[in-house]
Amino acid sequence: MKHELPADAAWSVPVRAGRAITLTALADNANASVLIVGADRLDRLNIPDTLKSQMTARIHVGLVLMSDRGLALATVTESTLDWHDCLTGFLPSHLLLLELAKHGLGAADLHGGINFFTKVAVSSAAALSLVPGHATAGDSVTLRADQDLLVFVSTSAHPWATTPAGGVAVQIGTAEPGDPEGLRPEALRALELVR
Amino acid sequence: MSALDQVIEAGDGALLSVPAGGRLRIVDLHGNQAVDTLFYDAHDIDNRYSAFDTIREQRAVYLTTGSRLISTRGDELGVISDDTCGRHDTVGGACSQESNVIRYGHHTRHLHACRQTFLTLGAHAGIGQRQLTHNVNFFMNVPVTPSGELTFADGLSAPGRYVEVTASRDILVLISNCPQINNPCNGWNPTPVQLLGWW
């Protein structure tokens, strides 16, 4: 299944456990803000727990995205970029709020998300700035679903962007067998709990 | 005369109603304690503190004097109006029994954790799992590096240092004085803090 979201759109898509979801930038400087909810439609992506258990402040290959309840939601298996932002949030568009409402979710579910294709640089004093030109058309990232997921995708521009929003393709396909290299013990524990 | 003067033991917490203009001071009595704190619009708990909207609005990771605590709707819930510590975290989230298992192993499954306190006290205000979000960790030092790493470091706090929040509207403040004994953020030794309020 493949669907191309235009710029400034929002969509939600179920992804069955064991399948892979690939996001592909259709334009330079595209941004895909993503929220992920687990199989029970309550257990959400927890960015702080994902970061602190894997000692990172960016999303990259070899990370397991973890839920509020310490379960693996998805594993980042491939990416042409080594940095996807997860520190600066996003302004939820009306269209994204409508997508949440379609599933009985709402403002209470606006948890931390990922801005795929966006890099926000961190200074030595931890001041933040957007890195222009980080993503170019054709850049892609693939997540393997480790349980049945509901994935919300918004293609609004990052709030700091000075370039227009771009489209993003969403493809659901077969996941590669095996875990990516370099998973930390914490990531393997989160995976064991859903296997 | 303060409206509030209360010592919170490690592993305990508080649910406070602070009116607009009220000042809440948290005193790190023994140094290097982590005080996990959530803020809600008192009249609409879905309009709640948002760590990543707060970070984006101030274009910096750490919280200190002048940091505006921003809600999911973009409203200012409060401002850090005084700070003798200098740096507070809002990226590291709270400990939970579930995240303890992931980070430290299955033997920690039944240790007390901040989420247990949040759920216990939050229930009095209708704050359940869906209403829990990514919190502030007052006095906790979680450096984020230019290469995109995140670490837990010894605290920058010391006995008697404090942080003060002035409410920008009527707010609820949900506090868990962290009981974590498995990492250095509170020196492997959780200790009491003092809450002082003026309103």
Side-chain angles (χ1 to χ4, degrees):
Chain A
M1 191 282 294
K2 186 171 184 180
H3 174 63
E4 294 190 353
L5 274 82
D8 292 310
W11 195 42
S12 56
V13 57
V15 186
R16 302 286 291 184
R19 303 284 281 170
I21 176 169
T22 298
L23 307 178
T24 304
L26 297 176
D28 295 352
N29 296 305
N31 173 66
S33 298
V34 167
L35 296 171
I36 302 175
V37 184
D40 66 359
R41 300 296 188 256
L42 172 65
D43 201 20
R44 300 165 296 206
L45 172 63
N46 187 307
I47 292 290
D49 285 356
T50 296
L51 300 185
K52 70 188 179 192
S53 63
Q54 296 170 96
M55 304 309 256
T56 183
R58 61 191 164 91
I59 302 300
H60 56 84
V61 168
L63 285 187
V64 168
L65 307 180
M66 298 175 188
S67 75
D68 282 330
R69 267 186 260 120
L71 302 178
L73 291 169
T75 303
V76 186
T77 54
E78 293 176 63
S79 177
T80 58
L81 298 167
D82 67 354
W83 191 308
H84 302 273
D85 168 64
C86 59
L87 295 181
T88 59
F90 54 90
L91 298 169
S93 67
H94 178 63
L95 291 172
L96 180 66
L97 291 169
L98 287 181
E99 287 302 310
L100 288 165
K102 289 174 188 175
H103 298 277
L105 304 176
D109 302 291
L110 291 173
H111 229 27
I114 301 169
N115 292 317
F116 283 110
F117 308 121
T118 292
K119 178 175 182 178
V120 172
V122 183
S123 78
S124 55
L128 300 173
S129 58
L130 188 74
V131 176
H134 180 57
T136 54
D139 273 320
S140 67
V141 58
T142 298
L143 310 179
R144 179 191 64 203
D146 294 311
Q147 55 173 283
D148 290 348
L149 303 178
L150 186 54
V151 178
F152 295 88
V153 183
S154 165
T155 54
S156 297
H158 186 278
W160 295 346
T162 56
T163 50
V168 172
V170 178
Q171 183 162 11
I172 312 293
T174 309
E176 296 292 320
D179 291 329
E181 289 181 10
L183 291 182
R184 290 174 57 102
E186 293 91 338
L188 294 170
R189 273 200 288 277
L191 285 167
E192 281 168 17
L193 287 165
V194 293
R195 286 178 174 166
Chain B
M1 183 71 186
S2 56
L4 176 73
D5 184 351
Q6 185 180 355
V7 171
I8 306 291
E9 299 296 327
D12 205 349
L15 176 66
L16 306 171
S17 183
V18 181
R23 292 184 293 130
L24 172 66
R25 180 181 295 189
I26 306 173
V27 185
D28 189 5
L29 292 174
H30 299 273
N32 286 349
Q33 180 54 5
V35 185
D36 294 48
T37 307
L38 290 165
F39 301 89
Y40 298 84
D41 182 329
H43 306 292
D44 178 4
I45 59 170
D46 284 347
N47 192 27
R48 66 182 185 217
Y49 175 71
S50 172
F52 300 119
D53 289 319
T54 295
I55 287 172
R56 187 185 65 247
E57 287 299 309
Q58 68 170 15
R59 292 180 180 253
V61 174
Y62 312 129
L63 304 184
T64 186
T65 305
S67 289
R68 300 164 63 230
L69 308 175
I70 302 295
S71 76
T72 43
R73 298 218 182 99
D75 295 322
E76 182 184 289
L77 298 175
V79 177
I80 297 182
S81 47
D82 200 359
D83 176 17
T84 63
C85 173
R87 180 192 288 187
H88 308 271
D89 165 68
T90 193
V91 172
C95 66
S96 64
Q97 294 186 323
E98 293 79 8
S99 68
N100 284 344
V101 166
I102 296 300
R103 296 186 70 196
Y104 312 115
H106 291 278
H107 65 285
T108 61
R109 168 74 71 185
H110 300 289
L111 292 178
H112 186 49
C114 284
R115 186 182 296 163
Q116 309 292 108
T117 301
F118 281 153
L119 288 171
T120 301
L121 296 174
H124 300 289
I127 295 167
Q129 178 63 36
R130 274 184 83 197
Q131 287 73 35
L132 292 187
T133 184
H134 317 310
N135 51 285
V136 179
N137 290 304
F138 286 117
F139 309 114
M140 199 161 100
N141 184 22
V142 183
V144 174
T145 70
S147 59
E149 294 170 332
L150 177 143
T151 56
F152 281 74
D154 287 345
L156 302 172
S157 189
R161 294 198 180 174
Y162 63 84
V163 62
E164 195 170 285
V165 173
T166 299
S168 305
R169 55 178 62 205
D170 297 347
I171 57 173
L172 299 176
V173 184
L174 181 56
I175 293 172
S176 168
N177 191 20
C178 183
Q180 185 60 261
I181 55 171
N182 294 290
N183 78 42
C185 69
N186 48 17
W188 288 277
N189 177 32
T191 51
V193 297
Q194 183 182 23
L195 304 180
L196 293 168
W198 295 271
W199 51 79

